[in-house]
Amino acid sequence: MEVIHVYHTNDVHSHLKSWPRTRAFLQQKKKEHEANGELCLVFDLGDFIDRADIYTEATLGKKNIELLNEAGYDAVTIGNNEGITLAKEALEHLYDEAKFEVILSNLKNQDGSQPNWATPFKIYSTNQNSRIAVIAATAPFYDYYRPLGWEIENPIENLQNISKELSENVDILICLSHLGLKTDEKLATLIPNLNLIIGSHTHHVLEYGKIVDNKLLTGGGKFGKYIGHTTIIIDSSSQKLNDVKTELLTINQLPHIEGETREIEALQNWGKEILDVEVFKATKFFNHEWFHDSHLARLFAKALLKYSQADCSFFGAGIFLTPLKKGPVTAYDLHNMLPHPINACLIKMTGEQLLNCLLTIENHPEWADLEIKGLGFRGKVLGKILQYNCRIINNQLYVNGELKSATDEIKVVTLDMFTFGWFFPEFKDMDKEYLLPHFLRDILAIYGYR
């Protein structure tokens, strides 16, 4: 029997507190397995970077690639944090110094060609000439990738086509999936020659995996809490799969690494130094409030309306984590204030639709206290949803002081997190444009004092 070891991390989101332990563990295991003549593969499933982190923001993720190099990764695929929180040029150069493969098949250039920084599949050979193929795909955020200059393909159809091409040339087929558990379950039923799906994106935790249609599915949570370890056993005489099993290893149970706290603090301090550049000078102190209007919110609303050329706007007051000090304001200050990987979204609504939207906000005052997890939000609570240049008076809609009819077209700018279906399901079907690639802090930096 031939034994192959596969280790994986997923959805780390730049939570690097335990990274020294992860790195040391992976380096040690790779050395041990290779000394025993066993193939050892180490993969990351995407969302390794998160621009809410100072170290990541300082070089738009390029320094994170050095961490993966040091740990000895064999290949990675990308998540939405690599794919849609970076401008096209930044993603094209993210992996310039990578010492590993980037496997990704469903993201293309606009002319349909394969990006030169990624390969659609990779085939590894064992000492006994078994051939292990690895394919990968990322979640298809169509409304984001296309404005950024990419074409994103349906991942299921894409992976079906590639797996057919590889079926006669490989012995084992592994999929690195940044697609979520439900899609992984579909892949298991639709791709007969798959053996193992290493999953991510939905942060699911499958301690010993899940069997779907005789395929093993894995999932390792988020924020670097776990390392996944899958063992593949092949009958070397027939080169057929004999057994496959998986487990999750908890990082906190790994041995303490001397100096690990100082190492991570040094990364953060380095990022702070890089971002310590003046963006503008504030003429006064701007307070922030989470449950009512504030000087800072009004300044940001002004910038947001200039940036988008919208008629009116609304957003949660909880986006502001700090006030805006008087005097020189640095990129580091703005990052602390608005760490979210959130974009603005311009939506075309009728007067009736906007009126109903504002009534929904009025009818849900409890939203202000919601502790949001995900959706790009990196704050504490959503805060009161503040409205600018639009209001309801005597059950009628006014925009910029003018009474609007039910059929009037109105351009509304808000946060992209409100368009994902959690708060306003009707937004999914409305005519909208995600304003990319700028984040909220970029909008304030560019337009706040213009």
Side-chain angles (χ1 to χ4, degrees):
M1 295 299 171
E2 186 174 19
V3 180
I4 299 163
H5 297 273
V6 178
Y7 292 88
H8 81 268
T9 53
N10 58 270
D11 299 286
V12 173
H13 285 277
S14 295
H15 281 61
L16 302 175
K17 182 178 179 181
S18 301
W19 180 251
R21 298 186 191 192
T22 301
R23 178 187 60 216
F25 176 82
L26 293 174
Q27 290 172 335
Q28 176 190 349
K29 287 300 179 181
K30 183 158 234 184
K31 184 177 179 179
E32 289 177 1
H33 295 315
E34 290 180 348
N36 291 331
E38 299 170 341
L39 179 64
C40 177
L41 299 172
V42 181
F43 301 129
D44 183 77
L45 275 291
D47 279 1
F48 185 74
I49 75 169
D50 190 317
R51 290 181 58 188
D53 175 70
I54 291 293
Y55 178 73
T56 301
E57 176 74 357
T59 61
L60 300 180
K62 294 191 76 168
K63 275 288 183 178
N64 297 64
I65 305 309
E66 293 182 9
L67 303 181
L68 294 169
N69 285 340
E70 292 170 1
Y73 278 73
D74 293 282
V76 306
T77 195
I78 73 166
N80 42 289
N81 273 270
E82 289 87 5
I84 65 175
T85 72
L86 297 174
K88 188 173 191 287
E89 182 180 5
L91 178 54
E92 288 175 328
H93 293 286
L94 176 63
Y95 300 102
D96 282 354
E97 305 301 323
K99 297 178 182 178
F100 47 81
E101 297 283 351
V102 180
I103 306 174
L104 179 64
S105 60
N106 70 320
L107 185 67
K108 308 293 186 182
N109 294 312
Q110 287 189 322
D111 62 3
S113 61
Q114 178 76 18
N116 59 15
W117 47 269
T119 183
F121 62 88
K122 175 72 176 178
I123 298 177
Y124 300 90
S125 295
T126 69
N127 290 336
Q128 298 185 40
N129 297 318
S130 296
R131 291 166 62 82
I132 316 296
V134 180
I135 57 178
T138 195
F141 287 83
Y142 300 102
D143 291 337
Y144 283 80
Y145 277 112
R146 287 169 181 164
L148 285 169
W150 299 105
E151 281 299 318
I152 187 77
E153 297 179 353
N154 180 295
I156 294 179
E157 295 176 2
N158 175 277
L159 292 171
Q160 284 178 305
N161 291 334
I162 291 180
S163 64
K164 288 178 183 177
E165 294 176 12
L166 294 171
S167 60
E168 296 182 2
N169 300 314
V170 299
D171 304 302
I172 300 294
L173 183 60
I174 299 172
C175 178
L176 308 182
S177 163
H178 196 92
L179 302 171
L181 182 56
K182 288 185 178 179
T183 303
D184 291 352
E185 292 170 345
K186 291 180 182 178
L187 290 174
T189 61
L190 294 173
I191 303 180
N193 56 322
L194 263 180
N195 301 108
L196 170 65
I197 301 174
I198 305 177
S200 62
H201 185 50
T202 45
H203 302 170
H204 49 285
V205 177
L206 301 176
E207 186 175 2
Y208 297 106
K210 179 179 182 178
I211 300 295
V212 177
D213 204 5
N214 294 318
K215 284 90 172 178
L216 178 63
L217 278 57
T218 78
K222 62 180 179 179
F223 300 164
K225 183 177 179 180
Y226 301 103
I227 297 174
H229 175 214
T230 301
T231 305
I232 301 170
I233 301 176
I234 301 176
D235 186 327
S236 56
S237 60
S238 64
Q239 293 182 320
K240 299 294 184 181
L241 179 67
N242 180 275
D243 190 24
V244 57
K245 57 185 178 181
T246 193
E247 63 179 339
L248 291 179
L249 308 167
T250 304
I251 297 298
N252 288 341
Q253 295 177 352
L254 298 180
H256 171 78
I257 303 297
E258 184 177 354
E260 61 182 19
T261 301
R262 291 192 302 275
E263 179 181 346
I264 300 308
E265 286 178 352
L267 298 183
Q268 296 300 302
N269 290 334
W270 180 89
K272 180 179 179 180
E273 289 178 11
I274 297 297
L275 296 177
D276 190 22
V277 292
E278 183 178 325
V279 177
F280 59 76
K281 284 187 172 65
T283 57
K284 63 180 182 180
F285 176 82
F286 291 83
N287 70 306
H288 79 301
E289 304 288 345
W290 288 347
F291 301 105
H292 52 81
D293 195 12
S294 68
H295 292 299
L296 179 55
R298 289 193 290 274
L299 176 69
F300 177 73
K302 181 180 176 182
L304 186 59
L305 289 166
K306 282 183 181 179
Y307 171 68
S308 64
Q309 295 297 296
D311 300 309
C312 58
S313 70
F314 67 86
F315 52 83
I319 60 173
F320 306 107
L321 272 61
T322 68
L324 181 64
K325 65 181 183 180
K326 181 180 179 180
V329 177
T330 67
Y332 176 73
D333 295 328
L334 291 181
H335 190 278
N336 278 342
M337 179 194 301
L338 294 162
H340 328 280
I342 289 177
N343 302 103
C345 183
L346 186 65
I347 309 175
K348 291 182 180 179
M349 300 187 191
T350 64
E352 181 181 15
Q353 289 171 329
L354 179 55
L355 178 63
N356 290 334
C357 172
L358 299 184
L359 288 172
T360 298
I361 294 171
E362 284 188 2
N363 292 332
H364 290 281
E366 75 279 3
W367 283 356
D369 296 307
L370 285 178
E371 297 181 5
I372 304 296
K373 303 294 183 184
L375 304 180
F377 188 74
R378 300 294 185 264
K380 303 297 183 182
V381 295
L382 178 63
K384 181 179 180 179
I385 298 183
L386 305 172
Q387 304 157 36
Y388 295 92
N389 293 358
C390 56
R391 58 186 304 197
I392 298 174
I393 303 176
N394 297 325
N395 294 319
Q396 293 183 303
L397 174 67
Y398 287 79
V399 176
N400 286 309
E402 295 182 6
L403 177 64
K404 294 294 181 180
S405 72
T407 58
D408 284 340
E409 184 178 273
I410 302 160
K411 292 187 293 183
V412 183
V413 65
T414 187
L415 312 181
D416 63 4
M417 63 179 286
F418 287 131
T419 69
F420 299 151
W422 287 64
F423 296 94
F424 306 99
E426 64 272 21
F427 284 5
K428 283 193 171 185
D429 299 321
M430 291 184 183
D431 183 4
K432 56 186 176 291
E433 177 187 0
Y434 293 102
L435 304 179
L436 308 171
H438 297 114
F439 287 158
L440 306 184
R441 55 183 174 270
D442 302 319
I443 297 170
L444 185 59
I446 298 168
Y447 292 89
Y449 268 81
R450 177 174 291 189

